[in-house]
Amino acid sequence: MSNVDKAYKEIQRIVGNDYITDKDFMKASYSRNVDPAFPDRWADIIIRPNSVEEISEIVKVANKYKINIVPRGGGADLVGGATTNNGILLDLTRLNKIIEINEDDFYCVVECGITWGELISELYRLNLTTGVLGPGSGYSATIGGAISNSTAGFGSTKYGLVPDNCLGVEVVLPNPEGTVIQTGSKSNKYAEPICRYGVAPDFTGLFMGDAGTLGIKTKAYLRLFPNSPFKVQRNYMLKKNDYKTIFKLMNTLQTHIRDGLHDLYINPKVVVQLLAAQAENKPPKRLRVTGPVFMFILEAFDERILEIYVESVDKIMLNDARLFEWTEIDLDEKNSEDWELNLKFPYSYFNKFISLAPPKISCTTCHKLPISKIEEKKNLSTKFDRDHQGEFPEDSFSLFARSIHLLPNGHCVFAGGFNAENIDTQREIAMKIWHKKVRSQVRYGGVHYWLGESISQSIVEADAYTSDFIKFFKHIKKTVDPNFILSPNKFHLYDFDDDYMKYVVKMEEEEKINDSEEK
């Protein structure tokens, strides 16, 4: 009997017959994420545990037989983070309870398999919010996935990333004992989950944005905020396509309108032009797109204060822009006066920009940059695409950003990438240029998230980390995961003694390869 068969029988006794399978049709249904570059990957065993105790026991069995584990949340992952060849795929969506919503002290305790849709719907009934409304992948995305991927979403201009509002986690460590720990103030077993600091070092940070490599998160303690009753959308189109002006406006807005900025998204000129061309219900008169569109969501707890925010934004914007409505390019869109931030809006917005040319799917390259560097990095990104134009999949187009999302402290998200077909003939081509493009972004100072396998490996390949940092990372990994069974493909962390330098692609080597390909 193989080790996989032995593990199957032992885990079957832990979770019951209905929540473990090795049937081909089930493995096939779990074999893909949303990205187009990875092939179908079949786990040996699919497991759907229901408690932290079950996960702890599963981890013990996996260590006993040296079987890899990859955690999975909602599965709408764009970077190869929630599938695996062989090993165990751990579907955490049965851990979906809201344990506590504390309206007095503004925090909630939830299991990490709960979806953003379920949590936000419940909080909205209580006039509360988590600040950030979850990732662009939709309401089926889970809390655990957003923490593991350091997600930005609607609300991030004001409230930051999802981990910025996480007060601690319950985690099963992937060690032979299946150890369960609490972080933040809950590391004091007598305390409530009200903060991250003051009880012990901030071990919460180890598991934020770790791409599921250091622990299996089972509970999250999240900060809550009163949900402001007054929100308005305001759109402006720049009079010219000038990224120096974008920086100047972003800086001024953060200086003067900070508390009122729920969100600022900027849609580049080329994206607005694409959307105008794709609109089915076009206005009679064709719009001349002069520059990017700034989409604001402003909020306040007093209608009079909201009016002041609107007046202030108008004053800042109208020297360089004009008021704009999306109905100017698509009559099926709503005017801003008819807009409301309901639960439908954020994800219909994201979906519009994630796949600009259906049925193609994005190989995302989302990364964060200082707002003062937008023009410089945009030019570098455009140069890369021009220099490597023959290496992209057939009929693909690459955009440095489908949208730019302002974050709280002088930086922003470039939500970009290139598209490819979900077909065998394009996958290897897409994967090769995907890694190469991300390596170029890493080397110009881009800070990625949604790391998964593709992005995390590319960061290592770009030689971003010092040898001392890699040594530290490996020692942390060995401490919590001595057999390196949890998500081993991420960051090329296959084994403690493996030499990471063999994965590094030196810049001069890459340039030689490019020169030879051109010749």
Side-chain angles (χ1 to χ4, degrees), residues 30-38 41 70-84 89 135-138 140-142 144-146 148-151 211-212 354 361-364 434 449-456 490:
Y30 279 89
S31 66
R32 286 207 61 79
N33 295 142
V34 181
D35 63 80
F38 283 95
R41 297 189 289 172
V70 172
R72 182 185 190 274
D77 174 55
L78 289 168
V79 284
T83 58
T84 179
L89 189 64
S137 53
S140 62
T142 62
S148 296
N149 287 298
S150 192
T151 290
I354 286 173
I361 306 169
S362 176
C363 288
T364 181
W434 195 7
Y449 62 112
W450 284 9
L451 300 179
E453 282 187 27
S454 55
I455 308 286
S456 68
K490 295 165 186 173

Side-chain angles (χ1 to χ4, degrees), residues 148-253:
S148 296
N149 287 298
S150 192
T151 290
F154 270 89
S156 283
T157 299
K158 183 170 184 175
Y159 298 99
L161 305 175
V162 170
D164 294 332
N165 299 302
C166 183
L167 300 166
V169 284
E170 176 185 80
V171 182
V172 179
L173 301 182
N175 59 23
E177 298 76 31
T179 302
V180 180
I181 65 166
Q182 315 271 345
T183 71
S185 60
K186 279 299 289 180
S187 58
N188 172 356
K189 62 187 178 184
Y190 306 109
E192 301 300 323
I194 55 172
C195 60
R196 278 172 64 165
Y197 308 101
V199 175
D202 180 31
F203 294 126
T204 302
L206 284 176
F207 306 102
M208 303 291 103
D210 72 329
T213 59
L214 296 179
I216 301 168
K217 290 170 275 293
T218 52
K219 289 190 185 73
Y221 314 117
L222 301 176
R223 193 190 315 273
L224 296 179
F225 304 89
N227 189 23
S228 62
F230 302 106
K231 294 182 175 72
V232 66
Q233 186 192 65
R234 200 86 165 163
N235 304 309
Y236 304 81
M237 180 180 285
L238 289 197
K239 296 174 183 176
K240 58 182 180 177
N241 195 31
D242 178 12
Y243 283 85
K244 287 187 175 69
T245 301
I246 291 176
F247 159 60
K248 179 193 75 173
L249 292 171
M250 279 182 160
N251 184 277
T252 303
L253 289 159

Side-chain angles (χ1 to χ4, degrees), residues 8 102 134 238 251 255 263 265 273 337 384 389 425 485 491:
Y8 188 99
N102 192 310
L238 289 197
N251 184 277
T255 302
D263 283 292
Y265 281 90
Q273 289 171 325
E337 64 183 7
F384 177 91
Q389 57 185 336
T425 55
I485 65 168
F491 299 97

